[in-house]
Amino acid sequence: MSRRPPPTATPPRSRRTRTAVRAAVLLSAAVLTGCGDAGGLESAGPTPTAAGPVRLWPDLPPVTAPPYDYGEGETERVPGIRLPSGDVRTADPVAVVQAELKADPNQFRGEDGVYRTTVRRIRECRERPAQCPVLRPYYRDLTGDGRDELIVAVEMEEQQTGLRVYMPERGGLNRILSDEDQVVGVQIAGRNLVVRAVSAGIPGYEYRTTWTWEARQRAMLPASDEIVRVRPAPSRSAKPSRSPSPSRSGTPSGSPSGSPSAEASPSGAR
């Protein structure tokens, strides 16, 4: 037979404690008796049964021919560019683009061939800096190694823009992203490069591609590619905004996270 401990005197409760206990009792009674009242707990109905994905056409043959080359994963060492310090801000962006063009004169291509006007303007950046299609560069650590990459844009024919990202490595530069499109905006989100481009076949929409560093491939890859509905352009009667005007690349002027340094364009980059 168990022995119970002798009862002990219960200390008197304070007014605040007694009030709190009474309120708790009343609340409990209201919950138990008033579930059907307005604002009370109500059933959400039966829970749907979880179902896994259903595979359609499981007997489709495996693909043997590679798809159209999108250009992702293509990297290349920029010839003739030395960067002993590993600081991309010391590199001349125009010289970098010219070095790539010299190694591969056909890299700026359109649907019908090389963009000859773009090639000529790049080659004449020294003599005609005002006509140089290389825009001012931006710097950001996109690979997560603690060092900034060089982000360059080149204006091309047919309202196309060529985007390039260069990573410092082994005393030089590696190109880790190369893309051309009708770009309407470029943004940096964390270590991602988000590129907005015109949708040719669906008015009122745009393509939005998020390029992300892939360490295994040693390149920037399109992690996501989506079609997004955009708002129509404001009417001309709308009052102009007083906020600071954005730069050509979509980053507000003076922003510390995306502002080009004073060393950005020593040889004609606009």
Side-chain angles (χ1 to χ4, degrees):
M1 183 176 64
S2 63
R3 299 180 60 182
R4 297 180 181 178
T8 57
T10 303
R13 297 179 179 178
S14 65
R15 177 181 298 180
R16 179 177 301 177
T17 304
R18 290 196 299 270
T19 304
V21 171
R22 181 178 298 176
V25 172
L26 294 176
L27 179 61
S28 301
V31 171
L32 293 175
T33 62
C35 292
D37 297 339
L41 299 179
E42 296 181 2
S43 173
T47 303
T49 304
V54 178
R55 184 180 179 185
L56 305 183
W57 304 293
D59 298 328
L60 286 175
V63 177
T64 57
Y68 174 77
D69 184 12
Y70 187 67
E72 70 272 21
E74 293 183 358
T75 62
E76 186 175 344
R77 185 77 167 180
V78 182
I81 299 296
R82 299 185 64 241
L83 204 67
S85 66
D87 184 2
V88 293
R89 286 177 172 79
T90 63
D92 181 352
V94 172
V96 172
V97 175
Q98 287 179 336
E100 279 211 295
L101 184 61
K102 183 178 180 180
D104 181 13
N106 297 326
Q107 68 168 292
F108 293 99
R109 299 187 62 87
E111 295 182 358
D112 300 327
V114 179
Y115 285 132
R116 302 187 182 281
T117 302
T118 299
V119 172
R120 175 181 55 80
R121 292 172 63 193
I122 292 175
R123 289 173 175 170
E124 296 176 352
C125 279
R126 308 290 185 184
E127 296 78 14
R128 300 179 179 180
Q131 301 299 321
C132 183
V134 181
L135 304 183
R136 58 182 184 175
Y138 284 80
Y139 307 98
R140 178 63 68 91
D141 180 11
L142 298 176
T143 62
D145 63 356
R147 296 184 300 178
D148 286 343
E149 272 66 54
L150 171 63
I151 307 171
V152 175
V154 179
E155 289 182 327
M156 304 162 62
E157 289 104 307
E158 301 174 3
Q159 298 180 338
Q160 298 280 319
T161 300
L163 297 177
R164 302 289 188 271
V165 176
Y166 304 94
M167 178 182 70
E169 192 172 48
R170 300 191 307 274
L173 285 177
N174 287 346
R175 188 187 68 211
I176 60 175
L177 185 151
S178 177
D179 186 38
E180 289 86 28
D181 213 331
Q182 284 187 314
V183 176
V184 297
V186 181
Q187 298 171 324
I188 294 177
R191 290 202 296 265
N192 299 321
L193 196 67
V194 183
V195 181
R196 298 166 46 221
V198 174
S199 173
I202 312 179
Y205 290 78
E206 68 182 23
Y207 295 111
R208 193 167 298 176
T209 305
T210 301
W211 294 84
T212 303
W213 168 252
E214 173 55 51
R216 178 178 296 183
Q217 189 67 28
R218 305 292 295 173
M220 299 282 291
L221 298 182
S224 67
D225 198 3
E226 55 185 344
I227 299 179
V228 182
R229 185 176 181 179
V230 294
R231 296 179 179 178
S235 61
R236 295 184 178 182
S237 60
K239 295 182 180 180
S241 173
R242 294 182 179 271
S243 59
S245 59
S247 65
R248 293 294 299 275
S249 66
T251 305
S253 302
S255 171
S257 61
S259 300
S261 78
E263 312 165 64
S265 52
S267 58
R270 296 188 292 118

